[in-house]
Amino acid sequence: MDVSHILDSLNDEQRNAVASPAKNLLVLAGAGSGKTRVLVHRIAWLIEAEHVSPFAVLAVTFTNKAAREMRGRIEELLGHSYSGMWVGTFHGLAHRLLRSHWQEAGLIEDFHILDADDQLRLIKRIIRSLRIDEEKWHAKQCQWYINSQKDEGLRAINIEHFEDDYTKTMLEVYKAYEAACERGGMIDFGEILLRAHELWLKKPQILAHYQNRFQFILVDEFQDTNSIQYAWLRVLAGSKNQLMVVGDDDQSIYGWRGAKIENIQKFNVDFPDTDTIRLEQNYRSTSTILNAANNLIANNQGRLGKHLWTDGAEGEPISLYEAFNEQDEARFIVDRLQDWFNHGNRRAESAVLYRSNAQSRELEDALLRVGMPYRIYGGHRFYERLEIKNALSYLRLLINRDDDTAVERVINVPTRGIGGRTIDTVRAVAREQSCSLWQACEKCINESILTSRAANAVLAFMELIDKIDAECATMELHEKAEQVITQSGLVQHHEKEGGEKARSRIENLEELVNACGNFDDADIEVEEGEGLDLTSKVFLTAFLDQASLDAGDTQADESDDAVQLMTLHSAKGLEFQLVFLAGMEEGLFPHKMSMENLAGLEEERRLCYVGITRAKSKLYFSHAESRRLHGDVALCRPSRFIKEVPKGLIEEIRLKTTISRLGSQRHKAGLSIGIKTDIEVPNTDISLGQRVAHGKFGEGVILNYEGQGSNARVQVNFDAVGSKWLVLSYAKLEVLG
């Protein structure tokens, strides 16, 4: 049989991998080097050239989408459909195994798989039944602990608490949770692999059957495997079967969710008869982009070693923009996107990547301002995020206690002992009396409709809102937001979720404070001669209205030509003609939480490597000289990752309106700034660099602008209060010089 068609379209290293006679094979596949192609052609080669039964092949992927794509490409290459072939995710294949051997695995025949929400609800019930303090030991924290232990292959019985209070409590919940699942015939997501691994160990005859059947095991994205996945593979492979793993240690970026880079690094040790093949020819990016990635990642220690190259074009240099602040950075990115689109390119071929989810807010504002369609890949828009909706609901209650949707949302967030039955009673009273939920709460308390415990809990909520309102009365908007977030307990509430999700939620709440601080330019009508009171509820109302309008601007549909916004973690596996890496500053990227140890810093560098290699033809780096953090403006240092890219590959962009730290005007945060003075705000008598006076804020210097005429917004750095954005028609600025 002529099998040359399987190898014809491959390069030399790809052919070596596809037709390798090695016992075990480690394929180090660089970004854009055709790893899926190699896996598909390897399976085709085994079936057609080596006459292996398709049912003796097991192929493991990380997503259902990748599994479907792999199966489709195999069938297309071979011209046959093999519906019985085991191609799927770790969890999908392990679940298939448990369905076939439910009895041997200690399950009931119709066992039920708990999704994350069902699991959380069960854990909440268990915490209550154990009479554990829900405020101190949050259900999401327990859920995170249980799932992470299962990923490590550990049951409660395998873990020692060593008299540690935290571990003792977690183990108490874990044991009760295991018992509840056993009684109810339920398993969660993590249990699927753990139970399948235990099946191998406890039932050697079943293991022997599958070892005899699956003589050829292929694994994609091997660098992302966790402890239990690797253990499951090792047992199944045994000492006789052939294992081919494809991955890239330079793209291992999921350590925070249990992935072990050591798995790929020690593969040659655990499987001694292993050949290593490197796929280094890249079919995606220009040589400039690849050279930048190679030089960056070379700073990591203990790499398996790989050097990407292309026989394609050298391409443009990487453009580096130093913005004055986050607004200037967002505006620059949007201007470049406009140019890109105006030159006949599709928006969908462009992406803005950022380290922290909270960074999307400023970018979204800039895109909304110019009406450019965009889509948040793999996430919600800023004002649609759960933690932001919670905080905004508290702020809305400062304006209007009768806002029923706000009351419903946060009356028991964070949990304060107000259960569903209590809320149902309050709702019923509100219906009967035709009043708001807040008024119904008052009636329930005053008329002893609720139990004393429920009434005390509801009263505590109402007193909390009144207390926050009183404390916020004389505060400016960003201080109000910070007070609400702190006093409501939202930070501690979300901290208990644990892991990257908790960190992201808290960063979003911090960004909400920044959004409030940057709202000092709101277009609010005021009476002639009156100043704008930034502590007023009118000002807070205007901000909440704007947040609602921004949330109401729905994302572009999947079919629309829209700019893609996403975190760097979400970008893995994607590619775009035009890519921006935004916020490249120390503490932001690399992230401050990952800079404390070498392992964390190296994972951040791998994340940057992933970001760089998403770009096919044009790449931008951007960073800001100053950025508002926690409501205050902080001076930022450029990311070390910029310095790790050779200067010869980078061109610095200097715009006429670029602001640099050279002059003598003092900023609120204590940094020195200087500006170009030859830029006039269009259709006004004002230029950048002019000294101006404001009725409330005093004297300052004009730093930046957007728009034109009386509707233009100018950024003024006031000597006393720092940077403010103001609308000229309302600001009544007096030019001093």
Side-chain angles (χ1 to χ4, degrees):
M1 179 186 295
D2 182 16
V3 292
S4 59
H5 68 285
I6 297 175
L7 303 177
D8 283 346
S9 60
L10 307 177
N11 65 36
D12 289 345
E13 293 308 314
Q14 290 172 336
R15 283 195 193 97
N16 290 341
V18 166
S20 173
K23 170 70 168 57
N24 295 304
L25 192 61
L26 169 60
V27 179
L28 290 175
S33 63
K35 66 178 179 61
T36 305
R37 187 179 188 81
V38 165
L39 280 165
V40 167
H41 284 247
R42 173 65 173 175
I43 293 170
W45 178 264
L46 290 172
I47 293 171
E48 289 211 348
E50 300 190 15
H51 309 295
V52 171
S53 165
F55 309 112
V57 175
L58 179 78
V60 189
T61 67
F62 264 82
T63 66
N64 289 315
K65 180 182 176 183
R68 286 193 298 272
E69 180 186 351
M70 184 180 293
R71 186 186 296 277
R73 287 171 66 170
I74 291 167
E75 292 175 353
E76 183 181 347
L77 189 60
L78 295 178
H80 300 288
S81 175
Y82 297 106
S83 57
M85 185 186 293
W86 283 43
V87 178
T89 64
F90 278 101
H91 288 91
L93 296 172
H95 174 247
R96 187 170 176 177
L97 184 73
L98 294 179
R99 285 294 178 198
S100 298
H101 302 281
W102 56 270
Q103 200 163 18
E104 295 92 334
L107 296 167
I108 61 172
E109 185 173 8
D110 54 351
F111 66 84
H112 169 63
I113 299 175
L114 293 170
D115 63 21
D117 288 340
D118 290 339
Q119 183 190 35
L120 184 62
R121 277 192 286 271
L122 176 58
I123 292 171
K124 284 179 179 177
R125 289 201 298 273
I126 287 166
I127 290 173
R128 291 186 193 117
S129 70
L130 294 172
R131 298 187 178 175
I132 292 172
D133 184 354
E134 293 180 69
E135 291 300 311
K136 185 177 181 182
W137 307 103
H138 200 273
K140 286 195 175 180
Q141 185 181 26
C142 297
Q143 182 183 36
W144 176 83
Y145 179 85
I146 290 169
N147 291 340
S148 62
Q149 298 308 312
K150 289 190 177 187
D151 284 347
E152 291 297 320
L154 298 173
R155 295 205 175 278
I157 198 172
N158 307 130
I159 305 168
E160 288 285 339
H161 56 70
F162 299 108
E163 297 303 319
D164 174 67
D165 190 39
Y166 170 80
T167 310
K168 283 175 76 173
T169 306
M170 291 295 113
L171 287 179
E172 186 181 3
V173 176
Y174 191 0
K175 287 174 184 175
Y177 172 77
E178 285 184 308
C181 288
E182 200 72 30
R183 285 195 305 271
M186 302 173 292
I187 64 173
D188 58 45
F189 205 59
E191 181 75 13
I192 294 174
L193 262 165
L194 179 56
R195 184 81 59 141
H197 178 242
E198 290 172 344
L199 179 65
W200 294 149
L201 302 180
K202 293 176 181 176
K203 303 293 179 181
Q205 71 279 12
I206 294 177
L207 173 62
H209 166 77
Y210 284 99
Q211 285 179 331
N212 288 331
R213 174 174 176 178
F214 296 125
Q215 297 173 27
F216 299 89
I217 303 167
L218 302 94
V219 187
D220 192 12
E221 301 286 10
F222 187 69
Q223 77 281 347
D224 294 335
T225 52
N226 62 26
S227 296
I228 193 65
Q229 289 164 343
Y230 189 51
W232 187 80
L233 282 170
R234 285 192 69 184
V235 174
L236 178 60
S239 59
K240 296 179 181 178
N241 293 331
Q242 184 188 85
L243 184 57
M244 172 182 177
V245 300
V246 180
D248 183 0
D249 57 322
D250 291 333
Q251 294 189 72
S252 180
I253 60 173
Y254 297 120
W256 50 274
R257 69 182 189 197
K260 293 285 196 295
I261 192 173
E262 310 93 81
N263 293 347
I264 193 168
Q265 290 174 336
K266 67 182 182 181
F267 186 79
N268 287 323
V269 177
D270 291 341
F271 295 88
D273 302 321
T274 295
D275 280 357
T276 300
I277 294 177
R278 290 171 171 78
L279 304 183
E280 298 172 305
Q281 184 174 359
N282 177 281
Y283 292 93
R284 175 189 299 159
S285 307
T286 65
S287 62
T288 295
I289 291 168
L290 296 181
N291 287 336
N294 287 330
N295 280 277
L296 173 94
I297 203 64
N299 290 279
N300 273 5
Q301 301 173 14
R303 296 174 59 232
L304 296 173
K306 186 173 68 291
H307 189 86
L308 297 177
W309 63 276
T310 180
D311 58 10
E314 179 182 353
E316 297 181 43
I318 296 166
S319 295
L320 172 63
Y321 182 61
E322 182 179 47
F324 169 64
N325 58 20
E326 65 269 32
Q327 292 97 359
D328 183 31
E329 178 187 48
R331 191 162 48 249
F332 168 79
I333 290 171
V334 171
D335 286 346
R336 287 297 178 271
L337 287 167
Q338 289 274 41
D339 289 344
W340 164 264
F341 182 65
N342 291 339
H343 281 84
N345 298 295
R346 295 180 65 244
R347 296 188 192 95
E349 278 293 326
S350 62
V352 186
L353 313 181
Y354 36 81
R355 175 62 180 87
S356 169
N357 210 21
Q359 288 173 259
S360 81
R361 203 266 312 168
E362 202 66 62
L363 293 161
E364 290 183 64
D365 280 357
L367 289 162
L368 287 169
R369 202 170 292 135
V370 299
M372 185 180 294
Y374 71 91
R375 185 161 48 249
I376 304 284
Y377 184 89
H380 296 291
R381 289 189 169 195
F382 183 79
Y383 288 110
E384 294 172 342
R385 292 168 190 163
L386 176 141
E387 60 277 13
I388 299 302
K389 285 184 171 183
N390 290 341
L392 291 177
S393 291
Y394 276 102
L395 287 168
R396 282 160 52 194
L397 287 175
L398 303 188
I399 301 292
N400 177 19
R401 303 292 200 277
D402 296 328
D403 186 331
D404 284 355
T405 55
V407 170
E408 287 246 25
R409 185 167 193 94
V410 297
I411 192 170
N412 200 41
V413 177
T415 52
R416 48 178 63 90
I418 302 175
R421 187 175 298 173
T422 300
I423 295 171
D424 286 343
T425 301
V426 172
R427 284 197 197 103
V429 171
R431 282 195 303 271
E432 291 166 8
Q433 303 287 328
S434 297
C435 63
S436 70
L437 290 177
W438 185 273
Q439 293 167 339
C441 286
E442 291 176 333
K443 289 179 185 293
C444 286
I445 294 167
N446 295 333
E447 299 172 17
S448 301
I449 296 171
L450 298 172
T451 65
S452 60
R453 183 178 177 182
N456 288 336
V458 172
L459 180 61
F461 166 68
M462 299 176 78
E463 288 176 341
L464 173 67
I465 300 300
D466 290 340
K467 175 175 176 282
I468 294 173
D469 194 7
E471 291 172 345
C472 288
T474 58
M475 292 181 179
E476 292 193 10
L477 181 56
H478 73 277
E479 295 171 321
K480 279 180 166 58
E482 191 158 25
Q483 187 77 354
V484 159
I485 290 166
T486 303
Q487 294 298 320
S488 65
L490 286 175
V491 172
Q492 297 90 331
H493 170 69
H494 291 301
E495 270 179 345
K496 290 173 182 175
E497 293 183 57
E500 186 78 8
K501 181 180 282 188
R503 183 195 300 175
S504 179
R505 290 201 195 282
I506 291 163
E507 286 176 348
N508 282 331
L509 289 172
E510 292 169 352
E511 182 59 25
L512 180 62
V513 177
N514 296 340
C516 291
N518 289 332
F519 195 69
D520 288 352
D521 64 327
D523 295 346
I524 302 173
E525 294 288 348
V526 293
E527 292 297 321
E528 185 69 29
E530 286 189 9
L532 184 59
D533 183 1
L534 303 184
T535 69
S536 71
K537 291 192 175 180
V538 173
F539 199 71
L540 173 57
T541 301
F543 173 77
L544 293 171
D545 287 346
Q546 188 59 51
S548 297
L549 290 171
D550 286 352
D553 280 320
T554 55
Q555 295 205 49
D557 293 333
E558 289 295 326
S559 57
D560 290 348
D561 183 29
V563 177
Q564 310 291 304
L565 268 59
M566 67 191 75
T567 63
L568 281 147
H569 283 102
S570 298
K572 176 96 182 306
L574 304 176
E575 57 183 45
F576 304 92
Q577 291 291 345
L578 171 66
V579 168
F580 296 85
L581 293 193
M584 295 194 69
E585 298 143 27
E586 290 289 294
L588 186 56
F589 189 37
H591 196 282
K592 61 181 182 292
M593 300 294 288
S594 302
M595 294 167 60
E596 297 169 359
N597 58 73
L598 182 62
L601 181 59
E602 292 201 336
E603 181 155 318
E604 291 288 294
R605 188 175 284 111
R606 292 193 293 271
L607 192 56
C608 188
Y609 175 85
V610 167
I612 290 172
T613 54
R614 298 312 94 194
K616 296 166 77 172
S617 58
K618 180 62 184 176
L619 177 63
Y620 285 88
F621 292 161
S622 64
H623 66 96
E625 288 188 331
S626 65
R627 190 175 293 271
R628 188 182 283 270
L629 299 168
H630 317 296
D632 293 322
V633 177
L635 179 62
C636 305
R637 287 185 296 131
S639 170
R640 69 191 69 193
F641 299 150
I642 295 174
K643 299 169 188 168
E644 290 172 359
V645 172
K647 288 184 178 179
L649 302 177
I650 292 177
E651 64 168 7
E652 294 190 38
I653 296 176
R654 295 293 179 192
L655 301 183
K656 275 190 171 183
T657 53
T658 296
I659 300 166
S660 58
R661 297 187 302 277
L662 296 173
S664 59
Q665 296 297 329
R666 300 297 298 172
H667 192 280
K668 181 179 179 182
L671 57 129
S672 296
I673 56 174
I675 61 172
K676 300 283 187 182
T677 58
D678 57 345
I679 305 298
E680 183 179 290
V681 180
N683 299 324
T684 71
D685 296 326
I686 291 178
S687 298
L688 299 190
Q690 282 185 320
R691 297 275 303 167
V692 293
H694 182 272
K696 177 173 181 176
F697 303 131
E699 293 187 13
V701 62
I702 295 180
L703 303 178
N704 215 332
Y705 78 92
E706 49 182 46
Q708 58 183 323
S710 62
N711 291 324
R713 302 162 74 236
V714 293
Q715 185 181 30
V716 185
N717 187 60
F718 291 102
D719 300 344
V721 296
S723 177
K724 304 283 184 185
W725 278 91
L726 304 171
V727 178
L728 285 179
S729 57
Y730 299 121
K732 308 285 192 294
L733 295 176
E734 177 189 354
V735 177
L736 300 178

